[in-house]
Amino acid sequence: MIKLVKTISLIIYFTSISTLAKQPIVATYYVPPNSPIAVSESPAEKLTHIIYAFIALCGDNRGANDATPKALAIACNNKMPYSAVFIDEQVVEAELETFGKLKQQHPHLTLLPSFGGWTLSQPFHGMVSSSSSKPLQCRKSRSLSSL
C-alpha cells in the first residue's frame, strides 16, 4: 500500500509540473555516439529539453561490463567518491561544446544530466544518501544544465 501511495504521489507530482508548465515539455535522451556532428543534427527547434545519457559516478560500479571499471579508474583518478565523470572526457568535451553552440541558436533548450543508466547506477544510491556528496553532485548537474 505504501508503494502504491508513493507511485500515485509521484504521478500527481509530475502531472502538476506538466500542468503548471506554460508550454509542453518535449524531451529526448541523447546517448553519445561519440560524434559532435550528431548533436548538431538534433531537432532542437522541436525540443525543450535534452537529457544527456549517461554520466558516470565514481564509486562502486560492480554492475558494469569488464571494460567500464578500467575506464572509470582512469576517469576517477584523484577524484572524490561520487564525483560525476565522463568515461571519454575528450569526446564528451567536444559534444558539450557543440551543445553550447546549439543552446546559443536555441536559447529555450535545456540540457539535463542523466546519471548511471543500467550499468553505472550503483554509486548513485550511496551518493543521494550521503549529505556530504549532494552539494558536489548539484554543482556538476548545474554546470551541465547551464550550457
Side-chain angles (χ1 to χ4, degrees):
M1 181 64 171
I2 291 174
K3 219 176 207 182
L4 177 62
V5 170
K6 286 182 180 179
T7 303
I8 291 171
S9 297
L10 190 61
I11 291 169
I12 291 169
Y13 175 74
F14 284 120
T15 304
S16 298
I17 290 173
S18 177
T19 304
L20 293 174
K22 293 177 182 150
Q23 297 178 15
I25 295 172
V26 181
T28 187
Y29 262 100
Y30 175 81
V31 179
N34 296 334
S35 169
I37 294 170
V39 174
S40 59
E41 293 175 352
S42 299
E45 67 282 353
K46 297 177 182 178
L47 300 171
T48 59
H49 296 74
I50 296 177
I51 303 166
Y52 191 95
F54 292 102
I55 299 171
L57 294 174
C58 296
D60 177 12
N61 279 288
R62 280 182 268 176
N65 62 32
D66 292 339
T68 302
K70 293 174 188 171
L72 280 172
I74 294 168
C76 293
N77 188 32
N78 295 323
K79 292 194 173 68
M80 294 177 58
Y82 310 123
S83 292
V85 295
F86 300 107
I87 292 178
D88 192 344
E89 188 89 27
Q90 290 177 336
V91 172
V92 172
E93 283 179 11
E95 287 177 333
L96 292 179
E97 184 178 314
T98 306
F99 268 120
K101 291 175 185 173
L102 190 66
K103 172 87 172 156
Q104 288 174 347
Q105 296 167 359
H106 304 279
H108 70 281
L109 198 58
T110 300
L111 181 63
L112 299 172
S114 177
F115 295 96
W118 285 104
T119 59
L120 298 172
S121 61
Q122 185 69 29
F124 187 79
H125 307 288
M127 188 273 302
V128 295
S129 65
S130 166
S131 60
S132 63
S133 64
K134 287 178 189 175
L136 172 69
Q137 196 61 36
C138 290
R139 281 193 302 274
K140 186 74 169 186
S141 297
R142 276 193 300 246
S143 66
L144 182 58
S145 297
S146 67
L147 286 179

